[in-house]
Amino acid sequence: MRLPVSQRHVSPDGRTILELATDFDPRDVHEMQPFLLPRVIDAATGEVMLDLTGVLASARFEWERDGALILKMSRPWESAEGDPAIRLSLAEGTYATNADGWTPHPIGEAQARLPVFVRPAPLRPAPVPIGQRLWRWTRIAAWGGAAALAVWFIWYG
């Protein structure tokens, strides 16, 4: 599903168009915080170079003087140190991320690699060690037995 564009920005050199679509986290029923989801387009050809509208991470951006785009993706449920940052330069034909020390890669690989880089880790509860699980069931059985014994004494007393 293509989300409607809420903001549209053009780079200083006119080569890059950044479209930001607004969406909300369906799991977030307490604070309806909007996410700005980026789509980067080559202004000359109209080709979508990077589409991160399917990834739930909000984008902040800044333009460099040479027209390169810096996307800072934030995920409010994670620490700020772990936020991914991406540099896209259509003039150089490269992209780079803060995860690999800003090493340039061909921009043609961006759509295949970056959604995985930006996608948050799945929210799963931490596994409970077997010893804690056994202790938990032992306490439940002990309290249940004590309650049954108390009822027996009260009834037949």
Side-chain angles (χ1 to χ4, degrees):
M1 177 179 89
R2 187 176 167 111
L3 296 170
V5 175
S6 61
Q7 297 178 26
R8 188 176 173 98
H9 304 274
V10 180
S11 66
D13 65 355
R15 294 181 192 209
T16 311
I17 298 172
L18 173 65
E19 294 181 345
L20 295 171
T22 304
D23 199 9
F24 296 91
D25 183 356
R27 300 170 294 179
D28 185 10
V29 295
H30 182 260
E31 298 176 17
M32 295 303 289
Q33 178 179 357
F35 286 85
L36 294 174
L37 309 173
R39 183 181 303 120
V40 180
I41 301 169
D42 185 348
T45 64
E47 179 184 359
V48 176
M49 302 308 293
L50 179 63
D51 187 359
L52 294 177
T53 57
V55 177
L56 199 58
S58 192
R60 295 181 323 261
F61 71 95
E62 57 189 58
W63 297 105
E64 292 185 345
R65 288 189 178 143
D66 63 351
L69 171 65
I70 304 284
L71 285 174
K72 296 177 182 174
M73 306 300 291
S74 64
R75 301 176 289 217
W77 56 88
E78 293 182 4
S79 67
E81 297 88 42
D83 285 346
I86 303 163
R87 181 183 186 273
L88 292 154
S89 175
L90 292 181
E92 299 170 8
T94 62
Y95 79 92
T97 67
N98 61 346
D100 62 2
W102 301 104
T103 305
H105 304 283
I107 202 162
E109 300 173 357
Q111 187 59 47
R113 291 186 176 196
L114 290 179
V116 176
F117 169 67
V118 175
R119 185 167 290 119
L123 300 175
R124 282 184 277 166
V128 178
I130 187 72
Q132 283 183 348
R133 282 185 278 172
L134 289 175
W135 176 243
R136 186 180 303 158
W137 284 109
T138 304
R139 286 186 300 175
I140 291 171
W143 280 107
L149 194 58
V151 169
W152 186 82
F153 274 119
I154 292 170
W155 190 266
Y156 295 107

